[in-house]
Amino acid sequence: MRALLRHASFTRFWSARIGSIAAQQMLMLAIGWHMYDLTSSAWDLGLVGLFQFVPALATTFVAGHCADRMHRGRLVAFCLAAQAAVAAFLAVSTVTHIVTRDVLLGLSLMLGAIRPFQMSGQQALLPMLVPPTLLAQATALSTVGQQVSVIAGPALGGLLFAIGVNAVYATCAALFCMSAVMCIFIRYEYVPPPREPVTAETLLAGLRFVWSNPLLLGGVSLDLFAVLFGGATALLPVYAKEILHVGPQGLGLLRSAPAVGALCVGLVLSRSAISSGVGKKLLIAVGVYGACIVAFGLSRSFPVSLALLAIAGGADTISVVVRQTLVQLETPDRMRGRVAAVNTLFVGASNQLGEFESGATAAAFGVIGSVVFGGCATILVSVAWSRLFKPLARRETLH
């Protein structure tokens, strides 16, 4: 970890990532609360998520192309500055009482269109800031920062709500601005790429590259199907209220438990990267994740459920670090932005479709049946991928 923090640009990148993710968590918490406060409509609350997801689909491949054609630090800084402007506008418009349902939905569209550019730039930027031998540890430390922000962001937002929603928006704007400034000062060896026309072929080059590489296709699709089947997050409110009987306070702990497990495992991996049998360990981690989801689905004990979700979060972190590192190391720099865009698209789709899958199977099999089915399907996916994607299963080292 000390070796990583000696790299000034990585330290700026890591600090900016913590600040920006905390701000994003707080901003989405505030927009959701604000929308429900204005309309008292669960439908409108769902539209906030939809209005962010749809433009993200439309801009993903363009975002990847930009990440391969522009200075990635400046691209990320611009995206953070744009989000700071949105948060500042919300702070001012809340004070002046001009925020409406349509304003919140319009700003949600804007945020959804911006985020793919930020995520593609961030993922493609990281390998440029550290030596290849430290990339796995850098990815793990980035995951640690992300989990800290996921835990601390909503907690800080909840405290600021005591002052008012405009205080949350103003704090988000400040965090986004500080993160943008840090990204501006990120330095790496940037060589402007040769000019070429923007065509469907160049925009979809990342998708073709992933499709033609069994190792990358196996890793990216593994995440897609594991999260699609194994995500129980959408049903946690039902477990908190109807099965574990722990109320909203317990729901908060259930939502935080995977992040706590991910944080602990991420700290370990940031000090000592996995050095052998990475393909096998990746698939085992996905299988452990699925087994924990099955056990959680059957559990009636709140402490046991918390522990299972924490272990699942830790196993998922092993999967994330191995997959992200392999994707970065197996992709030439000229393609990293577009491959990162494909990865972002798969992750976003798996999260959104996973919530739909949970609701659909819950309607068909009941809540417990849905979670158990999803966990079993995730275990089967890990077994199937060990047969279908031999280069991934047999991969020995990250480098």
Side-chain angles (χ1 to χ4, degrees):
M1 187 184 300
R2 290 179 183 175
L4 285 171
L5 297 179
R6 291 193 191 102
H7 294 269
S9 287
F10 173 77
T11 303
R12 295 188 189 105
F13 171 85
W14 188 61
S15 301
R17 183 171 166 80
I18 291 175
S20 62
I21 293 175
Q24 286 166 355
Q25 293 288 318
M26 292 166 60
L27 185 59
M28 295 323 303
L29 179 73
I31 289 176
W33 180 89
H34 205 159
M35 176 64 83
Y36 196 71
D37 187 54
L38 285 174
T39 68
S40 300
S41 169
W43 170 256
D44 287 337
L45 200 58
L47 284 179
V48 170
L50 181 64
F51 272 52
Q52 290 186 64
F53 179 62
V54 171
L57 286 178
T59 59
T60 292
F61 292 114
V62 177
H65 182 85
C66 289
D68 283 334
R69 293 292 176 269
M70 299 172 62
H71 188 288
R72 291 161 184 166
R74 293 169 193 162
L75 175 63
V76 175
F78 176 81
C79 293
L80 295 177
Q83 291 173 82
V86 170
F89 174 80
L90 282 167
V92 173
S93 58
T94 300
V95 173
T96 55
H97 305 289
I98 62 172
V99 177
T100 64
R101 169 185 180 272
D102 291 340
V103 168
L104 290 177
L105 290 178
L107 293 175
S108 295
L109 274 173
M110 186 182 300
L111 291 171
I114 292 169
R115 294 243 172 95
F117 291 87
Q118 178 191 339
M119 294 178 69
S120 297
Q122 281 179 172
Q123 288 185 36
L125 177 59
L126 180 58
M128 310 303 296
L129 305 181
V130 296
T133 53
L134 292 177
L135 183 57
Q137 290 168 272
T139 303
L141 192 56
S142 293
T143 302
V144 168
Q146 177 180 336
Q147 298 306 327
V148 168
S149 300
V150 167
I151 296 169
L156 177 59
L159 292 174
L160 291 171
F161 266 115
I163 303 173
V165 69
N166 57 319
V168 182
Y169 290 140
T171 303
C172 290
L175 285 172
F176 278 129
C177 283
M178 289 188 290
S179 299
V181 170
M182 282 186 275
C183 286
I184 288 174
F185 289 100
I186 289 175
R187 299 287 182 265
Y188 70 96
E189 187 177 345
Y190 171 65
V191 179
R195 292 184 176 274
E196 61 178 320
V198 180
T199 64
E201 183 177 355
T202 59
L203 289 176
L204 299 177
L207 186 61
R208 286 198 307 275
F209 183 80
V210 171
W211 187 262
S212 64
N213 188 316
L215 183 86
L216 296 186
L217 181 61
V220 172
S221 60
L222 177 66
D223 178 70
L224 170 65
F225 286 101
V227 175
L228 173 64
F229 291 120
T233 304
L235 300 177
L236 287 181
V238 182
Y239 268 82
K241 184 176 182 180
E242 305 291 343
I243 297 172
L244 299 174
H245 307 290
V246 291
Q249 293 79 16
L251 174 60
L253 292 175
L254 288 171
R255 285 191 175 275
S256 299
V260 172
L263 177 62
C264 294
V265 173
L267 284 170
V268 173
L269 293 180
S270 68
R271 295 179 63 88
S272 178
I274 297 173
S275 58
S276 62
V278 294
K280 185 182 296 184
K281 289 173 183 175
L282 166 63
L283 294 167
I284 290 173
V286 173
V288 169
Y289 175 84
C292 287
I293 296 301
V294 171
F296 169 78
L298 298 173
S299 171
R300 296 295 184 276
S301 167
F302 182 56
V304 171
S305 296
L306 286 177
L308 288 167
L309 288 176
I311 296 170
D316 185 53
T317 297
I318 295 173
S319 169
V320 168
V321 170
V322 171
R323 283 187 298 98
Q324 294 281 19
T325 305
L326 287 175
V327 167
Q328 300 288 12
L329 291 174
E330 292 294 314
T331 305
D333 181 62
R334 62 183 176 80
M335 293 285 298
R336 281 195 175 118
R338 284 167 286 183
V339 171
V342 174
N343 191 42
T344 298
L345 179 63
F346 273 53
V347 170
S350 64
N351 287 327
Q352 299 292 331
L353 294 175
E355 292 183 6
F356 173 75
E357 182 272 340
S358 295
T361 54
F365 308 125
V367 173
I368 295 174
S370 171
V371 174
V372 172
F373 167 79
C376 290
T378 301
I379 296 171
L380 291 176
V381 165
S382 69
V383 174
W385 259 235
S386 69
R387 304 288 190 272
L388 293 173
F389 297 96
K390 299 286 188 183
L392 178 65
R394 294 173 179 170
R395 181 69 177 235
E396 270 301 309
T397 62
L398 289 170
H399 303 292

